[in-house]
Amino acid sequence: MDVQHFERITAFIEARLTPLFEAESGSESGFAMDDTSRALRALRNSVLEASAVKGLLEQRATAEARTRSIIDQSVEHHWDVLRGIARQWEDHADFRREFKRHAWELDAAPATV
């Protein structure tokens, strides 16, 4: 798994969510205390938390075998969270096939720019 996978999927999701928080949308979604706003904040927080795990990938190369296994599990779990969120926009023009793949499938195909 490459850090670029996390960067791309996070950017894709953020591009879908950010307009929902903008004042130009004519709503207070994201900033009010209604359930929709709370759900938007929760979703954005989930995306930010899941994407933060990409920092573990840098540590993986120098980690002990046991720690590498834990890192791999964590990265796979967080990728699955992001993958599940991104797939809500599977019909979007910017959706990439890699967003459908499992973490172990991405290891076989290096990230492309």
Side-chain angles (χ1 to χ4, degrees):
M1 165 97 36
D2 192 310
V3 171
Q4 292 176 354
H5 292 296
F6 275 93
E7 291 170 350
R8 281 196 295 274
I9 199 167
T10 302
F12 173 78
I13 296 168
E14 280 291 320
R16 311 289 76 76
L17 295 179
T18 299
L20 302 175
F21 287 88
E22 293 174 354
E24 294 80 29
S25 70
S27 99
E28 291 183 285
S29 294
F31 299 106
M33 294 308 291
D34 60 286
D35 285 345
T36 300
S37 295
R38 290 175 177 161
L40 284 171
R41 287 193 304 271
L43 179 58
R44 177 171 263 168
N45 288 340
S46 295
V47 171
L48 294 175
E49 290 296 322
S51 67
V53 77
K54 69 182 181 185
L56 289 176
L57 290 170
E58 298 162 359
Q59 299 173 22
R60 186 185 185 282
T62 58
E64 305 175 358
R66 185 173 176 190
T67 304
R68 267 196 313 272
S69 174
I70 294 167
I71 289 172
D72 289 345
Q73 290 172 15
S74 182
V75 167
E76 287 176 16
H77 167 73
H78 287 87
W79 175 260
D80 283 344
V81 168
L82 292 171
R83 186 171 65 97
I85 294 169
R87 289 193 69 177
Q88 299 305 309
W89 292 278
E90 198 169 339
D91 59 344
H92 192 279
D94 294 336
F95 186 86
R96 294 173 172 242
R97 280 189 318 185
E98 75 183 277
F99 300 160
K100 292 174 90 169
R101 293 182 176 169
H102 293 280
W104 62 87
E105 294 173 316
L106 293 172
D107 289 336
T112 58
V113 179

